[in-house]
Amino acid sequence: MFLCKHSLPPMAQFTLTFILFCILTFSLMSNSGLSQTTLDSAEEESVYRVLESINSDIHWRTLFPDDLCISAPHGVVCDYFSDSDSAAADNSFTTHITELSFGFVSDYSPNPPCNANSTLDPSLLSPLSHLKKLFFYKCFSQKEIPFPDFSPLSIQNSILEELVFIENPALFGSLSGKLNNLTSLRKLVLTGTNVSGTIPGEFGELVNLEQLTLSRNKFGGEISASIFKNIIKLKVLDLSENGFKGIVPESIGNMTELLKIDLSFNEFSGKIPENLKGLKNLEFLDLGYNHFANCGVPLFLGEMSSLKEVYLSGNFLGGQIPEIWERLGGILGIGLSRTGLIGNIPASMGVYLRNVCYLGLDNNKLEGIVPEAFGALEFVSELNLENNILSGRVPFSSVFASKLGKKLKLEGNSDLCVDSDSAKASSTLGKLKLCNRTEIPKFALLYRGSSCPRVHGSYALMCIGILIFLRDLF
């Protein structure tokens, strides 16, 4: 019986297509000799020993007794390479380990699990001449070990492209001399460790780096300007949540391919470097919670039209919010909380920032009204204006207030008032005082033809009633 593929349900069509693909692939591999290639015994022994050092409780050799390029734990990855000496003659290929990932991430990435006694000796990796990626997630969490020295691998493993350590608090020591000459590195990630010291000068030799993430560690000190002079391919720079001090090196402005800079939660001081405006591709800038002070919100931000998120919160910048928003229509998030801002909120922010999802202007000394244009921000999901000196009527409809709910934050502005409909629509707005239906400004003169004092509310009405009574009496 022949089955028409188009008469099958979509899932059955996919299954049939996949089976046919596997059969075809196996046939091609068999004809080309790929099925007969085996992993070099030295590489296989190297992987077994690394697995045993990561978790000695599991009998890896018993569970995976065959060629590790045919049957291996998730996270052990092989690839085929043509033999340059004989490929032209007999189409010969070899197999090599290219990736090792350790630490259970999820059911979709069930890498070999680590245990409390996990260790790593980089010398075990020496036979892995084609290794491109090393990944460790929560592997070194209890038994303290110094950050491994990878410098001996610089000759044999010069093709290593990714070195990733995520959430390994038992790692300590410094990076000095540990990564020398790994010039093929494209990604270096070290987050959630106790590694300390400064960024070594040899980092300037990692000329192929595209991502440098050193967040949530114990690094400190000043950053040498020379480090970033040659790393011009960098796209991601994340040094957040450390103890770096001093000024931000202006050489960062030379890395014109940068898409993301995160220097938040450090102790950087001085002025925000103006040459950042040369980073025309930059989409994410977070300098929050440092010691930048008395320099105002940088005007050059208005020239960085690719920005999607900018966070400067927690720095006492001072000054007023500048009129720089016309070319920043792609902004999705702005954080200017606790920056010492004064003056009014420019209406232009509501006019031009139509794509903004998060806007934080809280805990400043902003005064005046809330711009009516803010009520037209259709994509905003959090608007925080609390703890300022804002006054007047809140210009948001009940629909707008209901959509944001608790993410509309206006408390701490004692002279703000809200309509009853909006107050009912939002629990946060319900905490503000209700506006007078007559919308009479405070201390306004209600009856200019009389000699009544400039009073407000029920006192003004009483005054008018007395005048009418006296007129009728005489």
Side-chain angles (χ1 to χ4, degrees):
M1 172 182 278
F2 292 93
L3 293 176
C4 177
K5 187 177 77 169
H6 297 288
S7 66
L8 298 174
M11 192 61 195
Q13 291 182 29
F14 173 81
T15 303
L16 179 60
T17 302
F18 180 75
I19 292 173
L20 291 173
F21 172 79
C22 292
I23 293 173
L24 178 61
T25 302
F26 180 78
S27 175
L28 290 173
M29 290 172 62
S30 299
N31 293 333
S32 64
L34 290 180
S35 61
Q36 299 173 6
T37 41
T38 58
L39 181 64
D40 178 77
S41 60
E43 286 195 44
E44 188 160 76
E45 179 63 22
S46 172
V47 175
Y48 280 135
R49 293 180 67 184
V50 173
L51 284 166
E52 289 163 354
S53 68
I54 291 297
N55 194 331
S56 59
D57 297 332
I58 298 176
H59 301 292
W60 299 105
R61 297 172 190 265
T62 303
L63 287 174
F64 301 95
D66 300 318
D67 190 325
L68 288 176
C69 284
I70 297 176
S71 175
H74 185 281
V76 177
V77 179
C78 292
D79 203 353
Y80 292 96
F81 295 84
S82 62
D83 189 332
S84 57
D85 296 329
S86 58
D90 58 5
N91 201 27
S92 176
F93 290 85
T94 57
T95 55
H96 298 281
I97 300 292
T98 56
E99 298 181 14
L100 293 176
S101 297
F102 303 105
F104 183 87
V105 177
S106 69
D107 289 339
Y108 300 100
S109 298
N111 301 324
C114 305
N115 67 10
N117 297 312
S118 295
T119 61
L120 176 64
D121 179 0
S123 66
L124 297 177
L125 304 171
S126 294
L128 306 180
S129 58
H130 291 69
L131 188 65
K132 292 184 178 181
K133 176 181 176 180
L134 267 176
F135 176 94
F136 300 91
Y137 176 70
K138 292 186 176 180
C139 281
F140 313 107
S141 57
Q142 297 185 40
K143 179 182 178 181
E144 287 193 342
I145 64 170
F147 185 83
D149 183 2
F150 291 93
S151 59
L153 301 180
S154 58
I155 298 177
Q156 306 100 308
N157 294 70
S158 59
I159 67 168
L160 188 66
E161 296 180 358
E162 298 184 28
L163 185 57
V164 179
F165 290 86
I166 299 176
E167 304 300 331
N168 293 279
L171 285 180
F172 71 96
S174 73
L175 296 183
S176 182
K178 305 290 181 64
L179 302 171
N180 288 2
N181 301 319
L182 293 179
T183 54
S184 293
L185 272 184
R186 293 187 301 105
K187 177 190 289 188
L188 176 59
V189 176
L190 182 65
T191 67
T193 77
N194 276 291
V195 176
S196 58
T198 60
I199 296 180
E202 58 259 28
F203 269 43
E205 301 173 8
L206 305 179
V207 295
N208 289 302
L209 267 187
E210 296 178 11
Q211 178 180 350
L212 177 59
T213 298
L214 302 177
S215 62
R216 293 182 295 108
N217 301 296
K218 303 296 182 181
F219 293 110
E222 297 188 4
I223 299 177
S224 171
S226 63
I227 290 175
F228 298 119
K229 284 184 177 179
N230 298 320
I231 314 179
I232 58 176
K233 296 181 181 180
L234 207 63
K235 293 179 172 61
V236 175
L237 176 63
D238 185 349
L239 306 179
S240 60
E241 298 189 51
N242 285 285
F244 292 114
K245 300 180 180 180
I247 63 172
V248 174
E250 291 202 356
S251 53
I252 287 181
N254 299 329
M255 298 184 288
T256 55
E257 294 189 26
L258 274 172
L259 301 174
K260 173 183 177 179
I261 296 178
D262 190 348
L263 307 181
S264 60
F265 293 94
N266 279 286
E267 299 177 34
F268 289 112
S269 57
K271 292 186 64 175
I272 297 173
E274 189 169 349
N275 67 349
L276 291 179
K277 68 182 179 183
L279 304 179
K280 300 301 183 183
N281 298 316
L282 195 68
E283 297 181 359
F284 182 99
L285 177 63
D286 191 346
L287 305 178
Y289 297 94
N290 280 283
H291 299 320
F292 300 112
N294 301 318
C295 53
V297 176
L299 298 180
F300 65 75
L301 292 177
E303 302 177 37
M304 303 176 71
S305 57
S306 295
L307 276 178
K308 290 183 170 55
E309 296 180 70
V310 55
Y311 303 104
L312 305 176
S313 299
N315 296 285
F316 195 82
L317 303 177
Q320 300 186 2
I321 300 176
E323 295 278 3
I324 58 172
W325 312 106
E326 185 173 358
R327 298 175 58 191
L328 299 178
I331 288 276
L332 304 176
I334 298 178
L336 294 173
S337 308
R338 302 179 186 275
T339 49
L341 295 173
I342 61 173
N344 297 330
I345 301 175
S348 60
M349 295 186 80
V351 173
Y352 295 117
L353 302 177
R354 288 305 178 92
N355 292 304
V356 74
C357 298
Y358 168 78
L359 179 56
L361 301 175
D362 55 286
N363 291 283
N364 289 295
K365 294 183 179 180
L366 297 168
E367 55 188 359
I369 64 170
V370 177
E372 188 173 347
F374 278 16
L377 298 175
E378 58 179 314
F379 299 113
V380 70
S381 57
E382 181 170 351
L383 179 58
N384 192 344
L385 306 177
E386 64 186 9
N387 298 324
N388 280 289
I389 320 173
L390 300 171
S391 59
R393 180 183 294 273
V394 174
F396 304 134
S397 68
S398 57
V399 174
F400 183 92
S402 177
K403 182 184 76 170
L404 266 67
K406 293 182 179 181
K407 296 293 185 178
L408 179 56
K409 302 176 182 180
L410 299 170
E411 291 186 70
N413 295 280
S414 58
D415 289 331
L416 273 183
C417 67
V418 62
D419 290 326
S420 58
D421 289 344
S422 297
K424 294 175 183 176
S426 168
S427 59
T428 57
L429 291 187
K431 298 176 182 179
L432 300 179
K433 66 182 181 182
L434 293 177
C435 295
N436 248 337
R437 187 176 296 276
T438 54
E439 299 184 273
I440 301 171
K442 196 172 184 180
F443 305 122
L445 179 61
L446 298 182
Y447 194 83
R448 295 184 180 276
S450 75
S451 59
C452 284
R454 298 186 178 189
V455 292
H456 188 52
S458 60
Y459 295 102
L461 294 175
M462 181 177 67
C463 180
I464 293 172
I466 293 172
L467 286 173
I468 295 173
F469 172 76
L470 291 175
R471 185 196 63 186
D472 294 341
L473 183 63
F474 295 104

